Amino acid sequence: MLNVVIFGAPGSGKGTQSGLIIKEFWLDHISTGDVLRSEIKNKTKLGLIAVGYIDKGLLLPDDLIIDMLSNVLDGKKDSAGFIFDGFPRTIPQAVALKRILNERSTDVTTMLDLKVEEDELISRMIERGERLGRSDDNLETIKSRLDVYHSQTAPLAEYYKEENKYHAIKGEGTIGDIFEQIRKILNTCQIS
Ligand code: AP5
Ligand code: MG
């Protein structure tokens, strides 16, 4: 399987690049943010819990997210591999992902870190908020999301460096040029 963690700050292009990756590499895209937004739309129990965190720009508790991810994987047993977008976001989530994949005789193949300057992140999210009305794309929540990213999520880069799986990607420029960097890395990945 080819299992890719796509990583980066809010607005760095994880969802956009995932859309291109799945077309070329036939992976299943799992965005924990998209799963949660769908739960909120459907007013499920998890959705009712999630809304309070998402609208404040805070992370949901690890155990809830890990159970959710594990259930999503159980529903996709014939997959050729996954692209994990927005997960893991904490060290306990990374440890859980390794365990969950090891239980399925596989592991994370590679991690791609989309690097984008903060001014650019903010302007992308403000623009999207005006265009699509995503509830967490307002300046106050964006600032909280960025703070949470720096304090809780950015340390994962070190975790994947230690696993020799880390790749930095220049996440600014055209969407096509960014995808070219990703394509080159994924083409050299050893599939297990
Ligand atoms: P999530 O949905 O994962 O949001 P995020 O990480 O904040 O990231 P975004 O989806 O905003 O950005 P993106 O990197 O996907 O960029 P995109 O491609 O859209 O999480 C939302 C919330 O859910 C969290 O705050 C938390 O509450 C909760 N949550 C989710 N996962 C969790 C977890 N594991 N644990 C706990 N809680 C969790 O691009 C952004 C914009 O830029 C778009 O408009 C796009 O068109 C544009 N764009 C993309 N590429 C370019 C480019 N090259 N040039 C110009 N514009 C571009
Ligand atoms: Mg996204």
Side-chain angles (χ1 to χ4, degrees), residues 18 47 85 104 116-117 141 145 151 177:
S18 295
D85 162 2
R104 291 162 174 78
V116 176
E117 291 294 329
T141 310
R145 288 159 69 195
S151 61
D177 285 349

Side-chain angles (χ1 to χ4, degrees), residues 14-15 31 34 37 85 128 134:
K14 301 183 292 295
S31 157
D34 287 351
R37 282 184 286 277
D85 162 2
R128 185 178 53 191
R134 203 171 115 170

Side-chain angles (χ1 to χ4, degrees), residues 40-56:
I40 291 171
K41 204 170 149 207
N42 294 325
K43 298 194 167 67
T44 65
K45 199 173 150 204
L46 178 59
L48 293 173
I49 298 171
V51 73
Y53 290 90
I54 291 189
D55 286 356
K56 292 193 192 87

